[in-house]
Amino acid sequence: MYHVMRFIVPVLFFISTLWLVIGTGGIVNSPDENANRIFATAFLTDGSLFVDEPLNAQIHGLISPRSAITSSDKILPGSFLGLPLYFGAIGVIVGTGGIMLITPILAILALLAWRGTVKKLTEDDIIADLSALFLMIHPAFWLYTGRTMMHNVAFLSLMIFAAYFFVARPIKKRGAWNIALAGLMLGAAIAFRTSEVIWILPIV
């Protein structure tokens, strides 16, 4: 039964995070999310990170949505570029609807990576399982996993992946790959929230 619950609980968590996605037709519930979705879709569609707004050239850039900046007749991202860039690139494979599921999938993978990291440090399955469970039910983690076009959980997930490769070293035969992948995950995380580099670099 315990092994069954290890599978069922993450599945229920994943399903529970989709309540703001299923049946919404791509509509999100905050300006920041909407900006990320629009710029990710623009990158998916034509490889650009801007949308055209011809009226802005006539009214001196007065149309300036939240989390965006204007330049002549173009509206550009005003926040971190990681999410629209990476999600748009992945969207080429999974489609426009698929980008709404990337954050929940990253969250599930992060839970597994967090469990693996704690297991390596403690060599105790129960502590590792409880650690993953506590992260799973943390209100902020749960909420922002459901807000799938926010960068918070994607950033945290990539940080956890970096810790997993650095601590657990899952690749046994070519150990250097663990350090390379840890660095790659760390760099990707910084792209999602560049301002966090202030505390990330001293830790590294």
Side-chain angles (χ1 to χ4, degrees):
M1 183 63 181
Y2 182 70
H3 295 292
V4 174
M5 292 301 294
R6 273 182 174 174
F7 173 77
I8 291 176
V9 172
V11 170
L12 292 176
F13 169 80
F14 179 80
I15 294 172
S16 73
T17 64
L18 302 181
W19 68 285
L20 294 176
V21 175
I22 294 176
T24 63
I27 297 174
V28 292
N29 69 345
S30 82
D32 295 337
E33 281 186 277
N34 194 52
N36 285 329
R37 183 186 64 82
I38 287 173
F39 293 123
T41 303
F43 190 74
L44 181 164
T45 304
D46 56 22
S48 66
L49 278 175
F50 62 83
V51 293
D52 291 311
E53 179 45 76
L55 285 176
N56 256 348
Q58 304 173 33
I59 58 177
H60 308 293
L62 288 178
I63 301 175
S64 181
R66 178 181 165 95
S67 294
I69 57 176
T70 61
S71 176
S72 184
D73 62 345
K74 292 179 172 52
I75 298 177
L76 304 96
S79 185
F80 308 113
L81 296 179
L83 190 148
L85 184 63
Y86 293 144
F87 281 27
I90 297 171
V92 174
I93 301 171
V94 301
T96 306
I99 64 176
M100 304 290 283
L101 301 177
I102 296 173
T103 295
I105 291 171
L106 284 175
I108 290 293
L109 295 175
L111 290 169
L112 296 174
W114 181 240
R115 185 195 180 280
T117 303
V118 175
K119 172 68 186 303
K120 179 68 175 181
L121 292 171
T122 64
E123 298 183 352
D124 190 305
D125 281 317
I126 300 298
I127 293 176
D129 288 339
L130 288 175
S131 297
L133 176 64
F134 292 152
L135 174 60
M136 183 190 303
I137 64 176
H138 189 287
F141 186 79
W142 203 338
L143 170 66
Y144 283 102
T145 300
R147 299 183 66 176
T148 62
M149 295 306 293
M150 293 290 280
H151 47 247
N152 307 66
V153 168
F155 165 77
L156 178 62
S157 297
L158 289 164
M159 289 292 293
I160 290 174
F161 297 156
Y164 173 69
F165 283 112
F166 186 75
V167 173
R169 308 287 175 99
I171 302 173
K172 304 301 182 185
K173 292 185 177 180
R174 297 185 178 181
W177 278 98
N178 292 304
I179 304 300
L181 287 170
L184 184 64
M185 295 297 106
L186 195 62
I190 292 173
F192 272 81
R193 287 187 63 88
T194 315
S195 59
E196 310 299 341
V197 73
I198 295 173
W199 62 266
I200 291 174
L201 286 184
I203 292 174
V204 172

